[in-house]
Amino acid sequence: MESYRKPVKSDCEALLSRFRQTQSVRFEVFSNIWKEMKFVQIFRQSHNKRAFCRMVLDVAYCYFMPPFSFQIRVGGLYLLYSFYHCQNTSPPEQIRVALKDWEDVRNFEKESLDAQHLDVAYILQQLLTCKAFLFTAMPTLLHYNRKRTEEKPELCDEFMERPCRPQELINTQLTEEMSNIHELYKNMKASISSQMSTADAASVSLIRDGIVSELCSAVMEFYNWQQNKDTVDEAQPSQERISSQQECSNRAKLLASIKSKAYEEASEAVKSRRHRQVEIDLPAEEDKSFLKLHHSRVPKPSLKNRTKEQIRMSGNMGREAARITLINHLVTLEPALQEKIKNERRFKSLNEHLESQTISTSH
């Protein structure tokens, strides 16, 4: 079923991009796009229907979670609702919701109610009523013998929520409260510093005077930069492509010129040195010593000489070690031992002869 994941994801992104262009979060608008693109036909898969339905719901569930914008998350919710009611399995496959994501779902519901998007809240309540959610520990099924390092899904930049935290943090209510606190601090500092010396009064000033105006100007500057960046990115995609192509062509030309120069220099050097003999100007004595060093081979001493130098023996042992060992000496016995063995053989043969004579006389 993993082979169907990319086509299903591309189709869902095409539908959500069309829904995003409408600048609306109404279910009626989404339903019209759904019908135009004939998304009902996605469940015509006849082989392994339940696994295919589970995979489609997993793909749609990704767009219902952060970090996507509010409109894309609404489109993801509508996708889940439509896929759940259009699937052809009985009983229907449930939508897996991890426990760690349930807080995001509740915050999304609260945000839609605060903005009076009642159709969004109604669709979510309908899914809860028909028990479409299956609360699990993990958002996807875990299997044995599965790759630990899976490829991370590529997120569409157009669907991402723009960073607007500075604007949300520095609002008019906060700036008014900060300005009031700043005025109270200035009045208290003035009343205390009037009773102190000039050196001690200077050490009391711990905050700048125009901090509120500086914060407001910094937030406005960030907002203007964000707007200009978006307009430049949308207006100049072709110019960036052209400039990148020109840079690539210039770099290729530069590399080609460097290679051609290098090959020319190498070929000239080869032609000039083809029949040239190497000449070394050395004095006569240095020339002889140089030849001796490079052409004379120093013989390495043999193992016998190295052993003789390392081991020094004295007396009969030294003379015996210096004498050459022959092969017949390794197999012959000592003279005294050899004479003893001969005597034992003679005595044995004599005893056998005497025993044979006694036996013959007795008979």
Side-chain angles (χ1 to χ4, degrees):
M1 285 299 147
E2 292 298 323
S3 59
Y4 294 103
R5 186 175 289 274
K6 285 186 178 180
V8 170
K9 186 178 179 181
S10 63
D11 292 341
C12 292
E13 288 181 355
L15 188 145
L16 290 174
S17 62
R18 288 184 61 179
F19 182 66
R20 174 176 160 272
Q21 291 172 4
T22 60
Q23 298 293 326
S24 175
V25 291
R26 303 279 75 86
F27 182 73
E28 184 180 0
V29 177
F30 177 86
S31 179
N32 293 331
I33 299 171
W34 173 279
K35 293 174 184 176
E36 289 175 5
M37 297 183 68
K38 299 179 181 179
F39 247 79
V40 184
Q41 300 178 3
I42 196 170
F43 291 109
R44 286 189 174 181
Q45 175 74 16
S46 60
H47 177 66
N48 205 351
K49 295 179 181 179
R50 187 163 295 278
F52 182 75
C53 292
R54 187 185 302 123
M55 185 267 297
V56 170
L57 290 172
D58 288 343
V59 171
Y61 178 77
C62 296
Y63 300 106
F64 181 48
M65 290 291 114
F68 294 107
S69 62
F70 180 79
Q71 188 185 10
I72 297 300
R73 292 182 68 187
V74 170
L77 176 64
Y78 292 161
L79 272 176
L80 288 173
Y81 178 78
S82 304
F83 284 149
Y84 179 77
H85 286 286
C86 291
Q87 59 180 310
N88 52 5
T89 56
S90 181
E93 186 68 25
Q94 290 180 300
I95 303 166
R96 295 176 62 90
V97 179
L99 295 178
K100 64 181 181 65
D101 298 334
W102 185 242
E103 187 177 356
D104 294 331
V105 175
R106 283 301 184 188
N107 293 333
F108 174 77
E109 183 184 15
K110 184 177 180 300
E111 187 178 353
S112 61
L113 287 173
D114 293 340
Q116 293 297 313
H117 299 310
L118 300 180
D119 46 357
V120 178
Y122 175 77
I123 294 294
L124 186 57
Q125 287 298 324
Q126 282 292 108
L127 290 174
L128 288 170
T129 303
C130 62
K131 297 181 180 179
F133 292 121
L134 176 65
F135 298 99
T136 58
M138 302 296 291
T140 57
L141 286 171
L142 300 180
H143 301 281
Y144 291 106
N145 298 327
R146 197 172 185 178
K147 293 181 180 179
R148 292 187 178 182
T149 57
E150 294 183 353
E151 295 181 359
K152 293 184 178 180
E154 295 180 0
L155 301 178
C156 187
D157 295 335
E158 297 177 358
F159 298 164
M160 302 295 288
E161 187 176 6
R162 293 178 59 191
C164 57
R165 294 296 182 186
Q167 294 93 309
E168 294 176 358
L169 180 64
I170 310 298
N171 49 22
T172 55
Q173 185 179 359
L174 181 66
T175 53
E176 289 177 2
E177 190 174 354
M178 286 180 67
S179 61
N180 293 332
I181 293 170
H182 187 63
E183 288 296 329
L184 283 172
Y185 171 75
K186 285 175 65 177
N187 295 332
M188 291 177 66
K189 187 176 70 173
S191 62
I192 293 170
S193 60
S194 62
Q195 303 174 3
M196 299 170 64
S197 61
T198 56
D200 295 334
S203 63
V204 177
S205 59
L206 302 175
I207 195 169
R208 289 179 291 185
D209 293 332
I211 186 170
V212 178
S213 60
E214 288 178 3
L215 277 173
C216 293
S217 62
V219 171
M220 288 301 298
E221 185 179 355
F222 172 76
Y223 178 74
N224 294 329
W225 169 81
Q226 194 178 44
Q227 294 291 332
N228 295 330
K229 184 176 180 297
D230 292 342
T231 53
V232 168
D233 292 342
E234 291 177 0
Q236 296 180 347
S238 59
Q239 292 182 1
E240 290 181 358
R241 292 196 202 98
I242 293 168
S243 62
S244 62
Q245 289 177 0
Q246 288 178 355
E247 289 178 0
C248 292
S249 62
N250 293 333
R251 186 170 178 273
K253 290 178 182 177
L254 181 62
L255 289 172
S257 63
I258 292 170
K259 285 181 181 179
S260 63
K261 288 180 181 178
Y263 286 134
E264 287 175 2
E265 290 177 1
S267 61
E268 289 175 0
V270 170
K271 287 179 181 178
S272 60
R273 297 179 182 179
R274 185 176 295 171
H275 303 292
R276 184 184 297 176
Q277 296 180 357
V278 180
E279 296 177 359
I280 302 174
D281 297 332
L282 292 172
E285 296 177 358
E286 292 183 1
D287 192 7
K288 290 179 182 178
S289 63
F290 180 79
L291 292 173
K292 284 181 180 178
L293 284 172
H294 287 273
H295 294 285
S296 63
R297 183 178 177 183
V298 178
K300 188 177 179 181
S302 63
L303 180 62
K304 182 180 178 181
N305 295 332
R306 281 180 285 165
T307 307
K308 190 184 294 184
E309 291 177 0
Q310 293 176 3
I311 301 172
R312 297 291 181 183
M313 297 181 182
S314 60
N316 296 329
M317 190 179 292
R319 286 194 296 273
E320 187 69 25
R323 195 171 60 183
I324 298 172
T325 303
L326 300 177
I327 295 174
N328 58 354
H329 289 178
L330 296 174
V331 297
T332 56
L333 300 173
E334 294 181 359
L337 183 61
Q338 193 172 5
E339 188 67 27
K340 184 179 179 181
I341 292 169
K342 286 181 179 180
N343 293 332
E344 287 178 354
R345 287 178 180 174
R346 288 174 187 170
F347 182 74
K348 187 177 180 181
S349 60
L350 183 61
N351 287 336
E352 289 176 355
H353 181 68
L354 291 173
E355 287 178 359
S356 60
Q357 284 183 357
T358 55
I359 291 168
S360 62
T361 53
S362 63
H363 286 293

